[in-house]
Amino acid sequence: MTGNKEIGYQSYLICTGIAFLLTITLCGISSAKPINLDKNFVISLSKYDQVFMEEVKAGSILNVEIHVTTGGDIDVLLMKPSDFENYKSVFAQRGNINYISDGSIIGQRIKKYTYTFQEAGDYYLVLDNTDVPKGGGSPLDQVEMNLKVKVDAPSTDKPTTSGSTPSGSAPTQSSTQPPKTSGFEAILGAFVIVMLALRKK
């Protein structure tokens, strides 16, 4: 009877440990917000609209496709939250704006492109129908357009794009991030540790 109780207790510990590790791993995997947008926009002259992308993981792939059906060229600017706050104040101050140049396009009507996020965090994709960005589109009237935005999970390739840069500036290279251990490998390693600890008892 004592042996059966000991075996049952060890099994309980193993199951509890695995369940705990699975919960932690799944919480980490599901923290990123899925983004898959296909939407029509009408943007008045000298105005803008934006798409908020929450909790994007480093290495995720941004896929953007625009198609302006009415109006002139449009600027699509990828920004961090701090850059977006600065952008909103520029209309009154007429200062410079910052945006992630490799994740943006200026003066386009039909365009499809991708960008690899270098850093995790929140981002804004700004649809700009103003003359604020230097070298950007020259707004003539309101713009009617279709926007498709999708963010894919991180791939195994190393990110090569830059961080936020002032408009018109050359992007700077960011340091390469170390490879991350997959959730399955972490669970397997923890399981082996638990089993070894139980066998020593």
Side-chain angles (χ1 to χ4, degrees), residues 4-58:
N4 291 337
K5 286 183 179 181
E6 184 176 348
I7 293 173
Y9 180 69
Q10 289 181 351
S11 300
Y12 171 77
L13 288 178
I14 293 172
C15 292
T16 302
I18 293 174
F20 179 72
L21 292 170
L22 282 172
T23 301
I24 294 176
T25 303
L26 291 175
C27 285
I29 293 173
S30 62
S31 61
K33 306 295 183 182
I35 300 168
N36 191 354
L37 177 72
D38 185 348
K39 183 179 178 181
N40 294 321
F41 289 84
V42 177
I43 307 171
S44 300
L45 179 65
S46 299
K47 300 293 183 181
Y48 68 89
D49 211 328
Q50 77 277 345
V51 175
F52 179 55
M53 296 176 286
E54 185 179 7
E55 297 180 8
V56 176
K57 286 184 172 292

